[in-house]
Amino acid sequence: MYEAERDPYCYPGTDVLKNKAGLTSAGALERFETAMTFARSEEPLPHGRLSASHYRAIHHHLFQDVYTWAGKYRTIRIAKGESLFCYPENIASEVARLFAWLKRHRYLQRLEARAFAKGAAHFLAELNAIHPFREGNGRTQLTFLTLLAHQAGHPLDLDKLDPDAVLQAMIASFGGNENVLADIIAELAA
Ligand SMILES: Nc1ncnc2c1ncn2[C@@H]1O[C@H](COP(=O)(O)OP(=O)(O)OP(=O)(O)O)[C@@H](O)[C@H]1O
């Protein structure tokens, strides 16, 4: 999925991420990852104040059974399709900047539905452009967004979520158009 040269996260000569179960087949790892993160997502999430450390704790919670680096920022450059994400040396400062933005905007609380959707889309687009973790960004983003929306009084109905539409909206947001993402969030919150 990711394009990374001589990726120290992978078993040599493969694109399979080193994992706690020692699985060297991509399919087996995918099944293991899905099962483990699903089980963890059924448990109560770590408490926190919607901060950067809270975000890391959520990634750690979901991926702790699979990767030793759960909850830790990546150390290599990664890209998906045309999108080259934040360089690793800038991740900590960019994450700090983004969560300071969220705090300054009072965690998007006390906003009307459309204003919430717009703010949440901006936050999500920025978070995705940073892509702080080697893997598991999408699931952590969605978990955090669900929490943020709930606390802001605009709970999301995830049954309505269309993964392909979200992917297209995320790609558009990387190119600077956050409107499609805002429309999706508004629809999920309606
Ligand atoms: N070409 C792209 N440009 C920008 N963002 C992308 C692109 N392809 C995928 N994404 C976004 O990257 C995130 C997925 O990142 P990652 O693969 O680290 O997470 P994951 O949880 O392992 O995967 P998934 O979300 O597919 O379950 C999603 O938010 C997705 O929308």
Side-chain angles (χ1 to χ4, degrees):
M1 246 162 123
Y2 281 114
E3 295 141 27
E5 277 179 52
R6 293 187 310 277
D7 185 344
Y9 287 86
C10 292
Y11 293 111
T14 77
D15 56 5
V16 179
L17 291 166
K18 292 174 188 165
N19 57 85
K20 287 190 170 182
L23 302 168
T24 54
S25 120
L29 174 57
E30 196 182 328
R31 286 189 293 278
F32 177 63
E33 201 191 83
T34 303
M36 290 298 156
T37 54
F38 177 74
R40 289 294 182 183
S41 72
E42 297 279 283
E43 295 177 355
L45 288 173
H47 289 295
R49 300 162 145 238
L50 301 176
S51 62
S53 59
H54 191 196
Y55 194 69
R56 289 172 64 158
I58 292 171
H59 186 274
H60 178 268
H61 177 77
L62 295 174
F63 290 91
Q64 61 185 304
D65 309 294
V66 189
Y67 302 117
T68 55
W69 44 264
K72 296 203 171 82
Y73 298 151
R74 65 183 155 82
T75 56
I76 60 159
R77 294 184 186 184
I78 56 173
K80 275 193 167 192
E82 306 276 290
S83 314
L84 174 59
F85 301 115
C86 181
Y87 286 175
E89 57 272 34
N90 299 326
I91 290 175
S93 58
E94 287 298 302
V95 169
R97 182 191 55 75
L98 179 58
F99 280 84
W101 177 92
L102 186 62
K103 186 176 180 186
R104 214 164 50 247
H105 287 79
R106 299 168 190 276
Y107 306 98
L108 308 177
Q109 290 171 9
R110 290 186 278 282
L111 293 176
E112 285 176 31
R114 186 66 207 173
F116 170 78
K118 223 169 156 263
H122 177 68
F123 176 75
L124 206 59
E126 294 276 308
L127 195 54
N128 189 57
I130 303 171
H131 235 71
F133 307 109
R134 175 64 188 84
E135 167 85 358
N137 294 282
R139 277 161 282 183
T140 311
Q141 286 164 6
L142 191 60
T143 304
F144 191 83
L145 177 67
T146 305
L147 215 56
L148 184 72
H150 181 79
Q151 295 196 14
H154 299 284
L156 304 182
D157 179 0
L158 294 181
D159 290 341
K160 290 198 226 159
L161 192 139
D162 171 355
D164 288 338
V166 172
L167 175 60
Q168 291 314 315
M170 293 302 278
I171 294 173
S173 80
F174 194 90
N177 175 7
E178 296 172 0
N179 294 332
V180 195
L181 200 51
D183 288 345
I184 289 178
I185 293 171
E187 181 60 32
L188 293 177

